């Protein structure tokens, strides 16, 4: 397990313009992540405030009502997530 800050736990909605995909992501307290990107199931985990999906790592920066993920090595792959209400 890994430490996940409280602001990161929950369900968030985002849009990935690079892939034209609506994304719904859920982050659990234990760091496990599940997401749906236009019907494609994605799993990963959070460690050190970074999102790991397969062999791809995304840095996470907190925003006012959610967070922004940026793929390490490809900053064009960035998604703004907002907490679901």
């Amino acid at each position: 397990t890994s430490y996940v800050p409280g602001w990161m736990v929950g369900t968030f909605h985002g849009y990935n313009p690079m892939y034209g995909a609506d994304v719904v992501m859920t982050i659990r307290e234990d760091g496990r992540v599940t997401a749906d990107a236009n019907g494609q199931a994605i799993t990963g985990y959070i460690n050190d405030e970074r999102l790991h999906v397969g062999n791809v790592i995304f840095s996470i920066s907190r925003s006012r009502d959610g967070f922004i993920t940026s793929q390490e090595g490809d900053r064009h792959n960035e998604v703004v997530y907002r907490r679901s209400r």
Side-chain angles (χ1 to χ4, degrees):
T1 62
S2 66
Y3 170 75
V4 177
W7 60 265
M8 213 181 275
V9 175
T11 300
F12 301 84
H13 287 83
Y15 179 74
N16 186 322
M18 187 170 176
Y19 294 100
D22 289 308
V23 184
V24 178
M25 179 183 298
T26 300
I27 302 173
R28 296 172 34 142
E29 290 178 350
D30 65 3
R32 286 190 280 174
V33 175
T34 55
D36 179 287
N38 284 353
Q40 178 181 357
I42 299 168
T43 59
Y45 64 93
I46 301 290
N47 192 16
D48 294 328
E49 294 190 16
R50 292 172 31 186
L51 170 62
H52 299 255
V53 178
N55 62 351
V56 180
I57 300 171
F58 298 86
S59 61
I60 299 173
S61 56
R62 188 176 186 177
S63 64
R64 190 171 59 117
D65 55 355
F67 56 88
I68 301 166
T69 59
S70 298
Q71 182 179 338
E72 294 185 359
D74 185 358
R75 293 290 177 189
H76 292 103
N77 189 8
E78 183 174 278
V79 179
V80 175
Y81 289 92
R82 289 185 170 77
R83 182 174 297 280
S84 298
R85 303 268 180 234

